[in-house]
Amino acid sequence: MGAGSGLDADLLDGHNSDYFATASSVSSIPVINIGSFTISSVTANTAGTVDITPPSGASSSKFVFFTKGGGNGAYYIQYQQLNGSNWTIRYRFESTGTNIVVYYAWW
């Protein structure tokens, strides 16, 4: 980083410290909330649905579903809002299984 090297130890990616946010300048950090529900049984490659009531404060634009374990990889899990009170969760799994826990997160 000597003279003529083109490198400046006072910069990060060509920017000085005024360019970057500080802890005091960040107005809010989203809180991630997690819940779950159980699908009692699925048949391989067959679509199914289940209705759930959205948690208080859940955002329809910031929502994700995922499964864990059981060897039942999801082809898809998606939701659509119904009547402003319930979500219909649509799913399809690649193999038959029982008591599959579906986790969801919102922020």
Side-chain angles (χ1 to χ4, degrees):
M1 291 204 267
S5 70
L7 300 175
D8 186 339
D10 294 329
L11 302 178
L12 178 62
D13 288 339
H15 300 284
N16 67 26
S17 63
D18 294 336
Y19 176 83
F20 300 97
T22 62
S24 62
S25 70
V26 177
S27 61
S28 66
I29 298 173
V31 175
I32 304 297
N33 303 282
I34 296 180
S36 67
F37 62 90
T38 301
I39 302 171
S40 59
S41 64
V42 296
T43 302
N45 298 316
T46 302
T49 62
V50 64
D51 289 346
I52 66 167
T53 301
S56 176
S59 166
S60 61
S61 62
K62 297 177 180 178
F63 213 88
V64 65
F65 291 91
F66 53 96
T67 61
K68 177 182 177 185
N72 292 292
Y75 278 171
Y76 68 79
I77 301 174
Q78 63 184 27
Y79 78 93
Q80 77 180 50
Q81 193 164 346
L82 292 179
N83 304 321
S85 59
N86 287 326
W87 283 325
T88 293
I89 312 305
R90 303 179 187 281
Y91 57 85
R92 181 189 298 264
F93 292 86
E94 64 186 20
S95 59
T96 299
T98 57
N99 298 322
I100 298 168
V101 179
V102 177
Y103 298 92
Y104 50 90
W106 72 95
W107 60 98

